[in-house]
Amino acid sequence: MNKQDIQDIKELLSAPKKVVIVPHKNPDGDAMGSSLGLYHYLTKLNHEVQVIAPNDYPDFLKWLPGDSSVIKYESAVKESDALIKNADVIFTLDFNALHRTGSMEDILTSSMAIKIMIDHHQQPDDYATYMYSDVSMCSTCQMMYHFLEMLGEEDCIDKDIATCLYTGIMTDTGSFRFRSTSSMTHRVIANLIDRGADNAQIHNSIYDTNSYARLQLLGCALSNLKIVPELCTAYISLSQKELNKYNFKKGDTEGFVNYGLSLKGIIFAVIFIEHQQESIIKISMRSKGDFDVNQFARTYFNGGGHTNASGGRSELSLSATIEKFITILPSHKKDLNP
Ligand code: 5GP
Ligand code: MN
């Protein structure tokens, strides 16, 4: 995003516009935090703003300021299509390709609105009128902060905006511990605290709302954990039957994959989760150091993401997916060593 782009966007937003904000499907803290942070900013400027999430998201995000204004596309298709058709500007946040919005892809593709992408995923598609893509950034929420800075609008950041942006930076950095966390991330976080983000309350609202059933499900996942020590790899599987047994709710498996990575000597961790309703196995991958799980997910499991965090899917059964994975692993032997 160059100076001219910023100038154009400033001008575009200098009079009230109809704005739609879209995060990716199965939105996480960064997707919802950046969407709602931007929502509060644009609402302050008297734009007509609507966040449309492709589908529902976990309850632990539903306390975010502005949450009650969000529409879920899957359960409001007609209303959402009309809003998208009438929009002057569409912001697409925290994703790099329109198919990442699931069933919103077609209506977004055909929309004539000015599209502004803000995103930190690798290999972004070229669909946006203005593109702010930076794969070195830890989160779209940090990019949203820099976007407001570039617009000369830091002073507009109030407690609600600060709370939303803090949340996404915290969740996408694993509470400021992943490699993507920079000194600049900490500077941004410090400024967000100064502007009203209550760090202890935010952490508590996201992480300390476990149900007993979720902890039992974690116990099940950990007892299913397998390691391949010679390839520094750990993986977990959860079948639909196991999910049902522990009354699985959206978001319950968030973060489970990191337990594999917490093992001494492990640099590649994977979780395979059966989704009977969609007839797929959802796969999450994490790594430490240079092992590129974005490439791994793209090559074998129809997915993508970042170097150290990615996701994908398989249409094979759970056991066949794991078998495929185990068969592939040795071909990466040279990258999978301490
Ligand atoms: P998670 O494992 O938490 O679902 O996703 C990890 C990272 O990979 C996130 O940044 C997410 O946006 C990205 N990701 C997850 N699933 C997919 C996918 O199917 N395709 C692509 N391109 N990225 C994905
Ligand atoms: Mn993100």
Side-chain angles (χ1 to χ4, degrees):
M1 186 153 279
N2 58 35
K3 278 204 172 115
Q4 187 58 51
D5 291 343
I6 287 294
Q7 205 46 49
D8 290 354
I9 292 171
K10 263 187 173 170
E11 205 156 305
L12 177 70
L13 297 177
S14 64
K17 291 284 182 316
K18 292 191 178 72
V19 183
V20 166
I21 301 172
V22 184
H24 57 76
K25 191 175 175 190
N26 299 320
D28 57 8
D30 191 30
M32 290 315 299
S34 54
S35 294
L36 286 168
L38 179 63
Y39 165 83
H40 291 297
Y41 166 68
L42 293 172
T43 303
K44 266 184 152 177
L45 293 192
N46 292 321
H47 297 290
E48 219 176 286
V49 194
Q50 181 64 57
V51 178
I52 306 178
N55 62 346
D56 203 6
Y57 41 88
D59 285 349
F60 63 74
L61 295 174
K62 291 190 175 161
W63 61 272
L64 281 170
D67 177 74
S68 59
S69 71
V70 177
I71 294 179
K72 283 113 204 168
Y73 187 81
E74 272 184 0
S75 50
V77 174
K78 264 194 178 165
E79 184 190 351
S80 304
D81 281 353
L83 284 160
I84 292 168
K85 272 189 190 133
N86 289 326
D88 303 307
V89 186
I90 298 178
F91 282 88
T92 67
L93 303 184
D94 198 35
F95 62 87
N96 55 358
L98 290 177
H99 68 79
R100 296 274 292 126
T101 62
S103 53
M104 293 180 76
E105 180 178 5
D106 289 347
I107 184 84
L108 288 174
T109 305
S110 63
S111 157
M112 299 304 285
I114 289 174
K115 295 189 184 110
I116 304 178
M117 172 206 274
I118 303 180
D119 178 54
H120 64 135
H121 291 89
Q122 298 193 1
Q123 293 146 289
D125 276 1
D126 185 21
Y127 63 80
T129 325
Y130 298 103
M131 189 160 140
Y132 177 26
S133 161
D134 186 344
V135 301
S136 74
M137 286 280 168
C138 68
S139 58
T140 301
C141 279
Q142 184 177 331
M143 296 178 73
M144 189 57 73
Y145 182 93
H146 295 314
F147 179 65
L148 296 178
E149 244 178 0
M150 288 188 277
L151 293 174
E153 294 280 48
E154 304 102 297
D155 285 345
C156 250
I157 299 179
D158 57 15
K159 184 179 169 77
D160 284 348
I161 300 174
T163 300
C164 292
L165 299 186
Y166 185 104
T167 299
I169 298 174
M170 181 187 78
T171 56
D172 257 30
T173 57
S175 300
F176 321 111
R177 75 185 194 277
F178 297 154
R179 207 161 54 148
S180 57
T181 311
S182 64
S183 57
M184 181 56 83
T185 306
H186 285 285
R187 282 187 199 102
V188 168
I189 281 294
N191 291 340
L192 293 175
I193 291 174
D194 286 344
R195 291 192 176 274
D198 181 340
N199 51 321
Q201 179 264 315
I202 295 171
H203 195 278
N204 187 54
S205 304
I206 295 285
Y207 295 115
D208 296 341
T209 54
N210 275 319
S211 64
Y212 183 72
R214 180 181 184 251
L215 287 190
Q216 297 293 107
L217 180 65
L218 173 61
C220 174
L222 293 180
S223 63
N224 291 349
L225 175 70
K226 302 265 188 312
I227 54 173
V228 188
E230 67 280 14
L231 295 169
C232 304
T233 298
Y235 63 92
I236 292 173
S237 65
L238 280 172
S239 67
Q240 184 71 58
K241 205 169 148 198
E242 289 166 327
L243 296 170
N244 294 347
K245 183 172 171 197
Y246 297 107
N247 194 20
F248 169 78
K249 283 201 243 8
K250 219 177 186 54
D252 277 354
T253 56
E254 198 85 26
F256 283 11
V257 64
N258 293 315
Y259 284 91
L261 215 52
S262 74
L263 282 161
K264 192 172 180 184
I266 295 299
I267 58 172
F268 183 26
V270 184
I271 187 167
F272 301 94
I273 301 172
E274 186 175 25
H275 281 244
Q276 222 157 42
Q277 212 179 357
E278 294 178 65
S279 302
I280 58 159
I281 309 301
K282 176 82 183 86
I283 308 168
S284 286
M285 304 181 196
R286 302 290 186 268
S287 68
K288 278 187 180 157
D290 295 333
F291 186 67
D292 185 350
V293 292
N294 166 52
Q295 207 47 50
F296 195 93
R298 272 176 193 269
T299 309
Y300 306 111
F301 292 108
N302 201 22
H306 316 278
T307 306
N308 295 131
S310 72
R313 58 179 52 211
S314 157
E315 278 160 22
L316 303 171
S317 69
L318 184 57
S319 58
T321 302
I322 294 171
E323 220 162 280
K324 173 178 166 180
F325 173 72
I326 295 293
T327 311
I328 292 164
L329 265 189
S331 65
H332 291 271
K333 191 171 172 43
K334 78 170 179 20
D335 301 315
L336 289 171
N337 51 54

